Amino acid sequence: MGNATFFLSVGDQGHLGSWVWIGVEDAEALFREYQAKGANVRNPPTNYEWAYEMQIEDLDGNVLRLGSEPKSDQPEGEWLDMRGERWAKSSDGEWKRVEKP
């Protein structure tokens, strides 16, 4: 029997609709499949310390965060929050909001 993990959060990720994190074998392959089927890709696969993860939004506004193992050969990317604002890690390791041009 496999393992299951529930990721629950309060605050920034909570909004109308739900956010669910699901571990997958290959986020890049799943991204190509979803993209070909016209899924609403909220954020394409991006490397983070916890996973190589993408955000897919369903018709009800629920966000599916689908991730596989992080890629050791890629830097961490920008995070997209519930309001559509981007965040990047600064040199001191803190997440800072990316200012729009």
Side-chain angles (χ1 to χ4, degrees):
M1 184 188 290
N3 293 325
T5 303
F6 288 93
F7 176 79
L8 303 175
S9 63
V10 176
D12 187 44
Q13 294 182 30
H15 67 86
L16 208 50
S18 300
W19 285 48
V20 176
W21 195 92
I22 302 169
V24 298
E25 190 69 31
D26 185 348
E28 188 67 40
L30 189 58
F31 169 69
R32 288 191 302 269
E33 182 180 333
Y34 280 12
Q35 196 174 37
K37 292 180 178 180
N40 182 10
V41 177
R42 190 171 187 276
N43 200 40
T46 305
N47 201 46
Y48 304 107
E49 66 182 71
W50 60 86
Y52 185 65
E53 177 185 302
M54 65 180 160
Q55 296 176 5
I56 304 293
E57 189 168 349
D58 73 10
L59 298 175
D60 295 319
N62 299 302
V63 176
L64 302 177
R65 294 174 52 199
L66 303 150
S68 52
E69 291 296 319
K71 296 187 179 268
S72 60
D73 62 341
Q74 293 184 17
E76 277 191 78
E78 294 180 355
W79 169 255
L80 182 64
D81 73 11
M82 67 177 210
R83 293 174 296 279
E85 294 178 0
R86 295 207 169 269
W87 296 77
K89 266 199 178 173
S90 63
S91 58
D92 64 3
E94 296 293 320
W95 286 95
K96 308 273 186 194
R97 189 169 44 134
V98 175
E99 297 298 325
K100 295 178 183 174

